[in-house]
Amino acid sequence: MSDLTDIAARLAHTAPERPAHRDPNVLRWVGAYTASMVGDMVFFLALSWAAVQNGTPAQAGLVTAVSAVPRALLMLGGGVVADRLGPRRVVIGSDTVRCVTVLAVAAVLFAADPGLWLLALLAVVFGTVDAVFMPAVGALPARITGKDQLARVQGMRGLAIRFAAVVGAPLGGLGVAVGGAAEAFAFAGLLIAVSVPLLISVRMRDLPADDASAARETTAWRDLVGGLRYVRRHRVLGPLMVAIALGDLGFVGPLNVGLTLLADERGWGASGMGWVLAGFGTGAGVAALLLTVRGRLPRAGCVAAGSIIPGAAAIAALAHAPGLPVAVGTAVLVGLLTGLSGAMCGALLQTQSDPAYLGRVTAVGGIVSLGIAPLSMPLSAAAIGVWGTGPVFAVSAAVCGLGGVVALCAPGVRRAELPK
């Protein structure tokens, strides 16, 4: 009888994985993630609107930016929490806290006008919870599907992000138009609330016993140091983090503040800038859809590194576009190439990491993208004021392209493959 049980277990273990886009378990997670991301978009629009209505432009900017401070400072610790407690528990708990907090603020705004202090407190709480939410979200895909499906899941996640960006802002604007900031906050809280029961229904795969027991036998500080050491010594993750850092440093400035200044310089106006951003979003969406459909691309490391370099060249070309249609087409190319490299880097981080370290690995990647890269925005704005858009876009493209060169020069990244 025991032999039959062993045979059945082996057959179940070797059975082919159901494609992620047809797996109800993965689809529940994607649905929860999408609802949470749309809620985030509505929340930040409501926060910006309420801050503008209750203070000066400078005060409003401070309120909307203050959430980034705890997120950047605490994210490494959030990765430790995700690995020690398990990402499912952390995501459910943090989404619940976010939902309750936003709904409580909405209730206060319906009843009174407390001023900027409540909005600032809400932003700090949201940023603090995000510090544990984001690493846990990054660690979840490896627990809900096989390694051979992780690239497809990254594509589905990219589609969810694009959907949230397209749908969230109009929904937030509608909420503000109908009932003001309080109504929009309530709507955001309800959207986040939708994600909680979906997350509870998602089935998790257990870690190997030795990894799980190791996480319990060390202190949080040792886990933090061990996670950083793990990333630094890893033949793929270490150079890949450097490539991601350089790529984001060269990308964030031009595609945020730089694009605004470029549109103003060329006379495209806000609508023209919107078209360029739509082109970028379209290209990134196509890249996400490609991975969702294909599920795996061969020579993943070379694809991730190689697509960074022409994407960087397209960033430099954007500053010299002779007209708006060419700029939009160039933005589509930038979105396609950078979206492809970003999704492949994300899939490699997922598949190359030991599952017991995924929360901390995701946290390091988040610090690189959300903590270091935004520093390029004020630098880019100041540099454009002195030298103009062309030279600054060229330097940014060189920094971005250097990330691809670093990845191609690292044998571990160059030879990295996604599981079949």
Side-chain angles (χ1 to χ4, degrees):
M1 187 67 178
S2 61
D3 291 340
L4 291 175
T5 303
D6 291 342
I7 292 172
R10 285 196 296 271
L11 288 174
H13 181 73
T14 57
E17 292 283 348
R18 180 181 296 183
H21 62 293
R22 297 176 183 172
D23 186 344
N25 196 50
V26 176
L27 292 177
R28 286 193 295 272
W29 175 79
V30 172
Y33 182 74
T34 303
S36 185
M37 290 299 99
V38 174
D40 277 2
M41 292 295 296
V42 175
F43 163 79
F44 282 111
L45 189 145
L47 181 67
S48 300
W49 179 264
V52 167
Q53 295 300 305
N54 285 274
T56 66
Q59 290 172 330
L62 183 62
V63 167
T64 55
V66 73
S67 64
V69 176
R71 186 187 298 123
L73 293 178
L74 301 176
M75 190 173 293
L76 287 177
V80 173
V81 172
D83 285 335
R84 290 180 72 86
L85 299 182
R88 179 176 180 268
R89 184 184 305 176
V90 173
V91 169
I92 292 173
S94 55
D95 250 2
T96 302
V97 171
R98 281 153 34 111
C99 172
V100 171
T101 304
V102 174
L103 290 177
V105 170
V108 172
L109 290 177
F110 272 120
D113 185 14
L116 286 173
W117 69 267
L118 180 64
L119 300 176
L121 178 61
L122 174 61
V124 170
V125 171
F126 220 80
T128 301
V129 177
D130 269 354
V132 295
F133 173 79
M134 297 176 71
V137 164
L140 267 177
R143 316 290 183 100
I144 61 176
T145 190
K147 282 193 171 185
D148 61 320
Q149 295 297 315
L150 288 176
R152 180 172 274 128
V153 171
Q154 289 298 314
M156 296 168 72
R157 185 178 177 184
L159 288 175
I161 293 171
R162 297 300 155 202
F163 176 83
V166 171
V167 173
L171 285 178
L174 179 63
V176 169
V178 171
E183 188 86 15
F185 277 129
F187 190 32
L190 292 176
L191 283 169
I192 297 172
V194 170
S195 70
V196 176
L198 288 172
L199 287 169
I200 292 174
S201 69
V202 174
R203 300 186 307 275
M204 293 288 125
R205 300 179 178 212
D206 293 330
L207 282 177
D210 54 345
D211 290 339
S213 60
R216 289 192 296 268
E217 291 173 1
T218 61
T219 65
W221 176 252
R222 288 181 180 177
D223 280 353
L224 176 59
V225 174
L228 294 174
R229 185 182 298 118
Y230 174 78
V231 172
R232 180 173 59 85
R233 293 179 177 177
H234 199 285
R235 58 193 296 270
V236 175
L237 300 180
L240 194 61
M241 288 296 184
V242 175
I244 292 172
L246 290 169
D248 284 348
L249 276 172
F251 174 80
V252 170
L255 266 296
N256 285 276
V257 63
L259 181 58
T260 303
L261 297 173
L262 179 65
D264 181 66
E265 176 186 296
R266 297 297 182 85
W268 297 338
S271 62
M273 185 180 71
W275 279 107
V276 175
L277 287 174
F280 165 74
T282 300
V286 169
L289 183 61
L290 172 66
L291 278 179
T292 301
V293 174
R294 286 291 303 271
R296 180 184 183 274
L297 295 178
R299 301 182 64 82
C302 284
V303 171
S307 55
I308 294 175
I309 297 174
I315 290 174
L318 187 60
H320 302 282
L324 183 58
V326 176
V328 173
T330 305
V332 171
L333 184 60
V334 172
L336 178 63
L337 292 169
T338 58
L340 181 61
S341 64
M344 295 303 289
C345 286
L348 287 171
L349 291 181
Q350 291 277 329
T351 56
Q352 295 290 326
S353 300
D354 186 308
Y357 287 92
L358 258 177
R360 282 162 286 179
V361 171
T362 304
V364 173
I367 287 291
V368 165
S369 297
L370 299 175
I372 298 176
L375 296 176
S376 66
M377 289 192 285
L379 294 176
S380 296
I384 288 173
V386 176
W387 292 293
T389 53
V392 173
F393 271 60
V395 171
S396 297
V399 173
C400 187
L402 182 59
V405 173
V406 168
L408 287 174
C409 291
V413 177
R414 192 172 62 249
R415 298 169 186 164
E417 293 279 6
L418 295 175
K420 294 183 179 180

